[in-house]
Amino acid sequence: MEIRDRGSLIPGDRTQPQAAGNESPQAFANISDAFQKSASSAPPVDIKKAAGALLTGSTKKTAEVKWTKELSVMGSPVLAGSTLIVSDRYPDKALHAFDAKTGSELWQKKMGSDGPPPAVLAPDGSLLLVEDDGCLHALDPATGDDKWKLPIGSSAASITVYEDGRASMRGDGGLIAIDLKNRKITARTPITQNFESDPVLGKDGTVYGGGHDGCVYALESGTGKEKWKYKTGDMLRNSPAVGPDGTVYAGCIDKTLHAIDPSTGEGKWEFPTGHWILPTPVVGPDGTVYVGNNDNLLYAVDPVSGQHKWEFYIGGELRVEPVPAENGLLYVVTDRNMVLCLDQQTGVKQMQYHADSYIHCPPACDGEGNFYFGCNNGKLYAMNVPALTMKAEAEKIAKNPEAAPVEQQKTVEQDEEFIVIDGLKLPKKKEDPGKA
């Protein structure tokens, strides 16, 4: 076993954030349209006023409530196509399925004395959760009926699903790795280390986790033998994240995001954030790493160089992981009951919504302007951003004109009778049918 220290790493190419109250206007240029347009000439921004502008400022793309339900939502809602599945611990202690557009209940399944644990979606569209019988159940999201079940001999409540068809869950002092396609347990890895959060799997089955001793561990699948451990500057309160190339990302109380080579345990780079990192880092579709700190800032970091791509002042602590949507947007929840929607590439704000109560888990989002979350006030919210929905519909029609509604298709046919020159719409010259 080797112990790797972070001592000689290459830091990310960015300046350490200034102390609160001395921020440059550029750092908060995307808090509101007004700040954004006048950033170069504006006086230094007071952090309290900046937070107020974020919380009260208007945006061009606002969110609207589609429908709500009186439910005590456990974990994040799950979207399976047009079906929204929610784990409710009170009052029904049941798994609920709703039509995501209308809120009509499709089915309900009672779940034991404590109610259902949070469910997750498998790559094949099945709904996964562990029930009181000690089995992993795969449900049909259309009906709630079992498709199959696998005895795991554990009461594990949380499940991590990977895009390649694997899943893992913590139980009975170890991590259980499951091949979902073949419906079998592939490894039970004992864990003797005091990991703060659930460990995760690499593509080769390596188990990664960290905890109070400030180390990130790589454990051999099945045996739990240490392959390496990497020493950070302080304890880890979250799970590591694994990138597409296998790089391990760890956010730490030492105010730093660490990138670690999975084969050697050596540090690749460090990115300082200026304050504690509590939520697990999130890897976007293009590999960009998103990480938030306890000082109201969210960062986008280049996975290769460790350099700063953009940052956004979110006006509150980030305690749950941001959610990258398929349409290039990033949904962010703060401890001030805010939901923000940012452009993944630029960090520019697309939408904000101030909820009635604390939002305890990441929202479910469909990439078409709809998102769903549970609040501590005992409500489930279904939201829509009309501008984002219209944009998504326009992009669909551009790719497939036949998918447009009939009235829009007629407009397109009529447009074919005209020609546009320098912005002017002119009728096409029609041939005389009498000429040969």
Side-chain angles (χ1 to χ4, degrees):
M1 177 196 74
E2 293 183 88
I3 300 178
R4 298 290 183 178
D5 194 82
R6 66 192 187 92
S8 60
L9 303 188
I10 302 172
D13 185 18
R14 72 176 300 275
T15 305
Q16 191 76 6
Q18 296 172 319
N22 299 317
E23 295 79 6
S24 67
Q26 287 80 4
F28 302 103
N30 46 12
I31 287 178
S32 69
D33 291 340
F35 279 117
Q36 202 166 16
K37 293 176 181 178
S38 60
S40 59
S41 58
V45 178
D46 179 84
I47 195 166
K48 292 183 179 179
K49 291 182 179 179
L54 173 64
L55 294 174
T56 61
S58 62
T59 56
K60 295 178 181 179
K61 298 177 180 178
T62 56
E64 300 175 351
V65 178
K66 295 171 62 179
W67 50 266
T68 63
K69 298 288 180 182
E70 297 287 339
L71 293 173
S72 179
V73 180
M74 296 300 297
S76 297
V78 174
L79 266 176
S82 60
T83 301
L84 183 74
I85 295 97
V86 180
S87 297
D88 171 36
R89 287 284 176 94
Y90 180 82
D92 299 321
K93 296 183 179 179
L95 200 64
H96 294 265
F98 301 100
D99 183 296
K101 292 184 179 179
T102 66
S104 300
E105 188 165 66
L106 303 176
W107 53 263
Q108 181 183 138
K109 185 175 183 179
K110 296 289 184 179
M111 290 276 183
S113 59
D114 295 328
V120 297
L121 200 65
D124 68 352
S126 300
L127 197 65
L128 301 177
L129 76 164
V130 178
E131 298 190 24
D132 290 345
D133 60 359
C135 291
L136 172 65
H137 290 252
L139 309 182
D140 183 342
T143 63
D145 297 331
D146 270 354
K147 297 174 68 175
W148 54 265
K149 65 179 181 179
L150 176 68
I152 59 173
S154 173
S155 58
S158 61
I159 306 170
T160 302
V161 172
Y162 307 89
E163 292 182 356
D164 59 3
R166 295 174 302 139
S168 65
M169 61 196 72
R170 194 172 185 175
D172 295 334
L175 190 74
I176 304 169
I178 297 173
D179 179 343
L180 295 174
K181 183 178 180 180
N182 296 305
R183 306 173 190 177
K184 66 178 182 179
I185 295 173
T186 57
R188 291 181 182 268
T189 304
I191 296 173
T192 58
Q193 296 81 2
N194 185 22
F195 290 165
E196 180 71 15
S197 297
D198 289 343
V200 295
L201 294 175
K203 290 184 177 180
D204 62 352
T206 300
V207 177
Y208 300 105
H212 287 278
D213 64 357
C215 289
V216 179
Y217 289 84
L219 307 180
E220 189 177 85
S221 176
T223 68
K225 180 182 178 182
E226 290 180 13
K227 299 173 69 173
W228 52 256
K229 70 178 179 181
Y230 169 92
K231 181 67 175 176
T232 69
D234 209 327
M235 69 176 68
L236 289 94
R237 299 293 302 275
N238 51 44
S239 301
V242 180
D245 63 351
T247 299
V248 180
Y249 301 101
C252 190
I253 298 298
D254 69 0
K255 309 175 184 179
T256 303
L257 173 66
H258 301 263
I260 309 167
D261 187 300
S263 59
T264 65
E266 295 181 348
K268 299 174 73 172
W269 49 257
E270 291 181 344
F271 180 83
T273 71
H275 214 290
W276 301 346
I277 300 173
L278 296 181
T280 296
V282 172
V283 181
D286 64 351
T288 298
V289 186
Y290 301 100
V291 62
N293 70 6
N294 228 36
D295 198 27
N296 308 328
L297 289 168
L298 173 70
Y299 301 91
V301 184
D302 183 273
V304 177
S305 65
Q307 293 184 358
H308 166 268
K309 296 177 72 173
W310 55 258
E311 66 189 59
F312 189 93
Y313 181 81
I314 60 176
E317 293 180 11
L318 188 71
R319 295 184 180 178
V320 300
E321 294 79 18
V323 180
E326 294 180 357
N327 62 348
L329 299 177
L330 186 72
Y331 288 82
V332 184
V333 172
T334 79
D335 70 337
R336 294 194 183 187
N337 312 343
M338 292 289 296
V339 182
L340 302 169
C341 184
L342 311 179
D343 184 282
Q344 291 179 25
Q345 295 298 319
T346 64
V348 173
K349 183 175 64 178
Q350 303 295 308
M351 176 279 299
Q352 70 183 38
Y353 178 75
H354 193 194
D356 295 334
S357 181
Y358 181 72
I359 306 168
H360 50 266
C361 283
C365 47
D366 65 0
E368 296 183 358
N370 301 301
F371 61 101
Y372 310 83
F373 58 86
C375 274
N376 274 12
N377 61 0
K379 287 186 177 181
L380 166 68
Y381 288 82
M383 309 295 303
N384 175 253
V385 185
L388 298 180
T389 300
M390 291 175 63
K391 179 182 177 182
E393 291 175 351
E395 290 174 348
K396 283 183 180 179
I397 294 172
K399 294 179 181 178
N400 182 18
E402 294 181 358
V406 175
E407 58 271 18
Q408 292 189 28
Q409 291 182 18
K410 290 180 179 178
T411 302
V412 172
E413 292 173 359
Q414 291 172 357
D415 285 348
E416 291 177 355
E417 299 178 4
F418 300 86
I419 186 170
V420 179
I421 301 176
D422 294 334
L424 296 176
K425 189 176 181 181
L426 304 173
K428 288 184 179 179
K429 184 178 179 181
K430 296 182 179 181
E431 294 183 1
D432 187 341
K435 292 184 179 180

